[in-house]
Amino acid sequence: MSNEREQDFVFTDTDFRRVVSIIYARAGIRLNESKQPMVYSRLARRLRALNLAKFSDYLNFLEADPKHEEWQQFTNSLTTNLTFFFREKHHFEMLSDQLHKLHGPVRIWCSASSTGEEPYSLAMTAVEVYGRFNSDVQIIASDLDTQVLAKAQNGIYSMDKLDKVSPEKCKIFFLKGVGKNAGQAKVRKELRAMIEFKQINLLANSWPLTPYFDTIFCRNVMIYFDQATQKVMLEKMGRLLKPNGFLYVGHSENLHHMSEWFYSCGKTVYRLTDKAIHEWGLSK
Ligand SMILES: C[S@@+](CC[C@H](N)C(=O)[O-])C[C@H]1O[C@@H](n2cnc3c(N)ncnc32)[C@H](O)[C@@H]1O
């Protein structure tokens, strides 16, 4: 890489391998060789901000203090946050069916919520099912990346991000910006109030969550993890589900390697097997 083109910062193959092993250990994210240019361009901004000339200096600086606040910037720089409203529409149709059958308080965990389009889509679906901004629906939206969490919490999107949201929904759930805010839309506070935002690393040994959830969305994040990491995480998630709960994963993800604990009940939607319910003490 260092010979390919002129670069502002010294970035060797050894530096790249160090970044790969650090982000794997901290976030479970696997980066292959093809990501070398991406790593350069994303972390170069950090070197510039800190006035450093070499990647090795940056990595030494980080490793000298495991608790330094720069660690969060490092992690934020290396996550991939692509998301959009009502992504994989069929999941929201299935969720709507599920919610119609549920009585009493409903708990949903959106476990890789990125900039918020996914948890707001969940909340809009719940409001449409129950016909009101229902305080009995609690949605927890979490992500590792603090920058995307802040954007999600803000709930302000450029109008072009709303292209998958029907005009009726836009009217009910968003306020259109005027004057200097023209071209932007803000989520209504009643919708935002249904969601609690938290930073959670899916790789952490324990998660600050109380059981149990009717639904967990864990979409388009497992693809960055290897199978061993996925297995540990999925078993922990399964143990947080109600016996009749649902786990939604991304379009290119599956739980074939977890068939002891989960079975497929729709396109990339899973439920707990009887064995999981029994062995994990989740009574029917
Ligand atoms: C591609 S986005 C998917 C967003 C959304 N779930 C969707 O499907 O549209 C992946 C998200 O996973 C988050 N992520 C990556 N590693 C994580 C980890 N170890 N713990 C929690 N979130 C993580 C990233 O910050 C990013 O926002």
Side-chain angles (χ1 to χ4, degrees), residues 4 20 37 52 103-104 108 110 133 137 144 155 159 173 186 193 205 212-213 216 230 234 258 269:
E4 275 171 20
V20 170
L52 296 170
H103 308 287
I108 301 174
C110 179
F133 291 93
V137 178
L144 170 68
M159 287 303 290
F173 298 114
K186 188 173 178 157
N205 289 331
Y212 292 93
F213 290 95
I216 299 178
Q230 290 179 14
L234 287 166
M258 298 292 285
V269 185

Side-chain angles (χ1 to χ4, degrees), residues 26-29 79-84 87-88 110-115 118 142-145 148 200-203 218-221 224-225:
R26 292 185 83 92
I29 297 172
T79 58
T80 297
N81 310 116
L82 178 76
T83 186
F84 41 92
R87 183 178 198 178
E88 293 159 63
C110 179
S111 67
S113 57
S114 189
T115 39
E118 190 175 63
S142 66
D143 202 283
L144 170 68
D145 182 332
V148 293
I200 297 181
N201 184 349
L202 292 172
L203 216 69
C218 181
R219 306 192 311 164
N220 305 303
V221 61
Y224 303 108
F225 301 160

Side-chain angles (χ1 to χ4, degrees), residues 222-234:
M222 270 195 295
I223 34 166
Y224 303 108
F225 301 160
D226 60 22
Q227 214 174 77
T229 307
Q230 290 179 14
K231 278 190 158 175
V232 174
M233 182 200 77
L234 287 166

Side-chain angles (χ1 to χ4, degrees), residues 19 23 36 38 119 140 155-156 166 198 200 211-212 220 223 239 244 261 282:
V19 172
I23 195 66
Q36 201 158 339
M38 180 202 89
I140 294 177
I156 298 173
S166 67
K198 281 181 186 233
I200 297 181
Y212 292 93
N220 305 303
I223 34 166
R239 287 173 184 269
N244 57 352
W261 310 120
L282 312 163

Side-chain angles (χ1 to χ4, degrees), residues 128-163:
E128 287 192 325
V129 169
Y130 298 115
R132 61 195 171 104
F133 291 93
N134 197 312
S135 57
D136 267 358
V137 178
Q138 183 204 26
I139 299 170
I140 294 177
S142 66
D143 202 283
L144 170 68
D145 182 332
T146 51
Q147 211 169 338
V148 293
L149 269 175
K151 161 110 184 119
Q153 216 153 357
N154 230 355
I156 298 173
Y157 299 93
S158 63
M159 287 303 290
D160 57 300
K161 297 268 185 226
L162 300 184
D163 59 350

